[in-house]
Amino acid sequence: MKLPILLIIIHLSSLACTFKILYLVPFPAPSHWYWLKNFSEELLKRGHYVTAVTSYRRPQPHPNYTEIIIHPPYNFSDFPASDFFSMKFNTVVNNLFLTWDVGLSSTEHAFKDKNVAEFINKTDLAFDVVILEQFFHDSWLPFAKKFDAPLLTIATLGHADYLDNAMGLITPSYVPHHVLTFTDNMSFYERCINLFWRLTDAFLRKYYYMAKMQEMADKYFRNAFNGSVPSILEIEKNISFRIINSHHSLSFARPRMPALTYIAGIHIKPVQVLPADVQDFLDSGSEFGVIYFSFGSCIRSVDLPEEKLLAFIETFRLLKQKVLWKFENDTLPNLPPNVFIRKWLPQNDVLAHPNVKLFLTHGGIFGTQESIYWSVPMLFIPIYSDQFRNAKRCVDAGFAEIISFQELSVQNLHEKLNMILDQNSYSNRINLVSQQFRDNLVDPMEESMYWIEFLARHKHHYPIFKPHSTHVPWYTYFYLDIIFFAIITLYITFALTKYGLKKIWQSFDTEKNIKQKFN
Ligand SMILES: *[C@@H]1O[C@H](CO)[C@@H](O)[C@H](O)[C@H]1NC(C)=O
Ligand SMILES: *[C@@H]1O[C@H](CO)[C@@H](O)[C@H](O)[C@H]1NC(C)=O
Ligand SMILES: *[C@@H]1O[C@H](CO)[C@@H](O)[C@H](O)[C@H]1NC(C)=O
Ligand SMILES: *[C@@H]1O[C@H](CO)[C@@H](O)[C@H](O)[C@H]1NC(C)=O
Ligand SMILES: *[C@@H]1O[C@H](CO)[C@@H](O)[C@H](O)[C@H]1NC(C)=O
Ligand SMILES: *[C@@H]1O[C@H](CO)[C@@H](O)[C@H](O)[C@H]1NC(C)=O
Ligand SMILES: *[C@@H]1O[C@H](CO)[C@@H](O)[C@H](O)[C@H]1NC(C)=O
Ligand SMILES: *[C@@H]1O[C@H](CO)[C@@H](O)[C@H](O)[C@H]1NC(C)=O
């Protein structure tokens, strides 16, 4: 008697836990997908049905996984390597426009894809949650509205003030703009610069970037919404939850709205077996250690200007350490004997090898986190976007150094490499931060899954965490209406009092005059 009831309960609870999830990842950079596919894989492991819009095919088909493949993938040729290496993105404004422009063009490319267009036309689908990578494809926000499902976003590059603004939080004077390298202790001059860029960003984002995104949404969702596509700025305010690639061990203390969580390190997995030749090379470096050198997946070492390429080669020749270099060519003329090149390397497993003593990196967010996790001090050569900020934080934390790409030479590269390799302070500092980075109340993947499933379970009551500040105008937010009212009240009181006193004085004066006349 009891057993069937138990079975029914188990059956019901397992049914209740299976959701249909739409996973939108239009951005084509391999490093993003390499990170983001961990979420969809985990959802599948938990028995959910996942429909993913992405540029990458899953190696093996899965019965619960539906792919809408953007094909051919977006071609980054509008953003050539020469622009990166000429340090075109060394300024705040160029970095803002880089992310916006790459976002606008890759989003439009994805919209034009036949598979995506067919998917937008579908009317027979239903989802419990819509997940969107919150990089720079805001014109995809209406998918949540189309399927009338709660929306969760994943902010790949970490916390930023435009995320706060949409959540009804205008962060105060001690939070630097996300592409500036200031700390939270800013001088008067730095606060001026910070305020300037925050206002400029807010203005340009609304009237340039989001306006173009809205145009795009209006165009491609026109049929889906019978011509009246909702405002993406409004949908943005309705995002129910945000999963942010930041970690408290590496961020300033900053105010946070309730509907978000930090999950950095989510992608880091136990070590796997390395290719035999890479393993042998790393093992052979036990005496002096190995330097691992990579510019990541978007920038390629093979595109380096000749002069800088030679600077690297000649510096490595001077070292007693071995160097493992992610270099995208089979051969490199004049390669010193202590250097090993390979077109692609399993970075996480390489950094986990105990002989790796230093990571020479551009400062991409995923590599920086992997290096912290495996306690490998870093020498940064930042090139664009968040890399300057990531580098500065690690330098300030005492476990990294930085070289500007323009000034890079055999002399300063050699000097900084030796500085890090010869002193224990860098590895001591990173060991401490690494321990904090690994020490979480809940496993970050577990926590992300909790929030996705939470939204699916409560889909008819969202958004529950939306603060009232998303509804109020800016002058109310900053108390300016009350200040204005107080000033007016004071002014009126003052004016009335002055007028009254004047009248009394006048009447007193007239009385005196009359008296004088009659005397
Ligand atoms: C697909 O989803 C169903 C329902 O959750 C589950 O029972 C099944 O095991 C899943 N299949 C795979 C291969 O994970
Ligand atoms: C990208 O576009 C450029 C220039 O239009 C072309 O030369 C290149 O072959 C394209 N790359 C791919 C992978 O299609
Ligand atoms: C989507 O629907 C619209 C209007 O019905 C139609 O004009 C368009 O060709 C459809 N697109 C695709 C890819 O099916
Ligand atoms: C903030 O920076 C100033 C100037 O660099 C320094 O004097 C002060 O001690 C710093 N304050 C804190 C709390 O770190
Ligand atoms: C669009 O209009 C058609 C016919 O007027 C209607 O059947 C359909 O429900 C509408 N769709 C939406 C999303 O409002
Ligand atoms: C945002 O959510 C509110 C409910 O809080 C709803 O009334 C409104 O229509 C939503 N706006 C959009 C554009 O989805
Ligand atoms: C994340 O994805 C990478 C790449 O597929 C995979 O090797 C790794 O095991 C995943 N990490 C976790 C924690 O599942
Ligand atoms: C790449 O390899 C080719 C031969 O395979 C060689 O001619 C070329 O110089 C290499 N490029 C660089 C930048 O080393």
Side-chain angles (χ1 to χ4, degrees):
M1 179 66 200
K2 269 188 185 155
L3 194 62
I5 294 180
L6 197 67
L7 281 180
I8 288 173
I9 290 175
I10 289 174
H11 185 63
L12 281 179
S13 65
S14 69
L15 267 187
C17 286
T18 299
F19 298 116
K20 290 201 191 102
I21 290 154
L22 176 60
Y23 193 38
L24 303 168
V25 188
F27 195 63
S31 59
H32 286 230
W33 180 244
Y34 192 75
W35 186 69
L36 287 159
K37 74 178 175 193
N38 282 293
F39 294 91
S40 47
E41 289 303 310
E42 186 65 26
L43 288 166
L44 289 175
K45 260 191 226 156
R46 290 170 177 245
H48 300 303
Y49 297 94
V50 178
T51 299
V53 185
T54 155
S55 308
Y56 296 87
R57 219 169 264 291
R58 195 175 187 277
Q60 299 90 28
H62 186 288
N64 298 345
Y65 186 64
T66 311
E67 290 176 322
I68 289 133
I69 299 291
I70 299 162
H71 189 84
Y74 177 73
N75 183 344
F76 281 101
S77 61
D78 285 352
F79 301 90
S82 54
D83 278 356
F84 290 109
F85 288 126
S86 64
M87 296 310 281
K88 189 172 164 196
F89 305 108
N90 209 356
T91 62
V92 177
V93 72
N94 284 354
N95 270 312
L96 284 178
F97 278 98
L98 170 69
T99 43
W100 288 335
D101 290 343
V102 80
L104 285 163
S105 56
S106 62
T107 309
E108 177 128 47
H109 172 85
F111 265 133
K112 282 184 179 154
D113 185 88
K114 194 172 139 285
N115 297 330
V116 174
E118 275 168 13
F119 181 67
I120 293 178
N121 271 5
K122 289 232 161 88
T123 51
D124 55 346
L125 296 174
F127 295 100
D128 299 304
V129 179
V130 173
I131 304 175
L132 172 67
E133 181 193 11
Q134 186 152 31
F135 189 58
F136 293 92
H137 0 260
D138 298 83
S139 56
W140 281 38
L141 290 165
F143 272 113
K145 197 84 182 143
K146 173 176 160 67
F147 294 112
D148 193 21
L151 176 60
L152 178 139
T153 59
I154 302 179
T156 319
L157 290 193
H159 210 147
D161 21 288
Y162 64 90
L163 301 176
D164 280 334
N165 297 349
M167 285 182 264
L169 174 65
I170 302 176
T171 47
S173 52
Y174 56 87
V175 179
H177 180 274
H178 62 277
V179 295
L180 293 175
T181 54
F182 299 154
T183 68
D184 49 354
N185 179 7
M186 289 178 272
S187 65
F188 180 79
Y189 170 73
E190 286 171 335
R191 286 192 299 120
C192 292
I193 303 281
N194 189 40
L195 180 64
F196 173 77
W197 283 116
R198 291 183 68 156
L199 291 175
T200 309
D201 180 2
F203 182 83
L204 289 176
R205 182 173 194 268
K206 184 165 179 184
Y207 295 104
Y208 167 74
Y209 167 73
M210 284 301 251
K212 288 200 164 203
M213 280 290 176
Q214 183 71 53
E215 251 175 53
M216 215 187 280
D218 289 347
K219 181 169 165 196
Y220 293 100
F221 279 109
R222 192 178 42 229
N223 292 323
F225 289 96
N226 277 353
S228 56
V229 180
S231 148
I232 56 172
L233 283 168
E234 284 305 308
I235 305 177
E236 189 188 30
K237 289 184 190 168
N238 279 3
I239 293 172
S240 298
F241 202 83
R242 285 173 175 82
I243 289 178
I244 297 183
N245 189 19
S246 291
H247 195 272
H248 55 79
S249 64
L250 257 191
S251 321
F252 313 119
R254 65 188 287 166
R256 279 161 56 166
M257 280 301 177
L260 64 85
T261 187
Y262 284 179
I263 49 82
I266 198 160
H267 64 297
I268 298 165
K269 49 159 187 204
V271 191
Q272 318 227 319
V273 181
L274 285 162
D277 52 350
V278 177
Q279 179 77 41
D280 287 347
F281 182 76
L282 291 175
D283 289 345
S284 74
S286 59
E287 195 180 353
F288 299 111
V290 180
I291 294 168
Y292 168 54
F293 175 27
S294 167
F295 269 125
S297 59
C298 285
I299 313 172
R300 299 169 350 128
S301 299
V302 74
D303 300 326
L304 276 165
E306 184 76 23
E307 171 217 356
K308 301 293 181 193
L309 186 66
L310 285 177
F312 283 113
I313 295 174
E314 291 318 310
T315 309
F316 296 157
R317 201 186 297 285
L318 297 173
L319 296 169
K320 55 181 191 278
Q321 284 79 15
K322 302 214 162 184
V323 179
L324 179 62
W325 185 353
K326 178 185 168 284
F327 189 81
E328 302 78 5
N329 206 3
D330 290 322
T331 58
L332 177 55
N334 253 328
L335 196 68
N338 60 332
V339 181
F340 183 95
I341 58 168
R342 180 50 66 86
K343 283 185 186 165
W344 183 85
L345 286 157
Q347 178 157 294
N348 184 61
D349 305 327
V350 168
L351 287 168
H353 194 285
N355 289 348
V356 175
K357 299 295 182 209
L358 192 149
F359 182 19
L360 182 55
T361 171
H362 64 310
I365 196 160
F366 306 118
T368 305
Q369 289 165 352
E370 286 161 9
S371 206
I372 290 168
Y373 188 91
W374 296 112
S375 287
V376 181
M378 285 165 272
L379 177 55
F380 288 100
I381 308 168
I383 308 284
Y384 67 96
S385 186
D386 61 326
Q387 294 157 9
F388 303 95
R389 175 199 73 183
N390 301 339
K392 179 70 168 25
R393 297 242 174 113
C394 298
V395 173
D396 288 348
F399 55 77
E401 289 291 334
I402 190 168
I403 295 186
S404 117
F405 184 76
Q406 288 127 307
E407 286 161 16
L408 184 131
S409 67
V410 175
Q411 202 210 337
N412 62 12
L413 183 60
H414 192 221
E415 194 180 308
K416 291 249 161 129
L417 286 172
N418 282 331
M419 197 163 141
I420 299 173
L421 290 162
D422 293 347
Q423 291 172 28
N424 288 332
S425 63
Y426 296 91
S427 49
N428 292 345
R429 282 295 307 159
I430 202 163
N431 280 337
L432 296 175
V433 177
S434 174
Q435 280 161 29
Q436 283 180 26
F437 190 75
R438 291 159 173 242
D439 193 349
N440 297 302
L441 175 64
V442 186
D443 172 67
M445 180 57 91
E446 203 53 46
E447 191 178 354
S448 308
M449 291 300 129
Y450 169 77
W451 285 112
I452 294 168
E453 290 168 357
F454 177 96
L455 289 185
R457 281 195 295 272
H458 302 281
K459 67 177 165 199
H460 301 299
H461 297 283
Y462 73 96
I464 39 181
F465 301 118
K466 192 170 156 183
H468 188 70
S469 56
T470 54
H471 301 288
V472 304
W474 58 273
Y475 50 83
T476 310
Y477 186 91
F478 287 112
Y479 272 63
L480 295 183
D481 51 351
I482 296 181
I483 293 171
F484 182 71
F485 175 75
I487 290 172
I488 294 291
T489 312
L490 278 176
Y491 178 76
I492 292 175
T493 315
F494 179 74
L496 283 178
T497 314
K498 195 175 157 194
Y499 180 78
L501 285 175
K502 205 168 161 190
K503 279 277 169 226
I504 292 170
W505 178 252
Q506 270 173 358
S507 65
F508 186 68
D509 229 26
T510 4
E511 252 173 58
K512 238 169 51 185
N513 283 348
I514 295 169
K515 269 192 196 159
Q516 270 169 5
K517 254 187 205 165
F518 284 89
N519 276 347

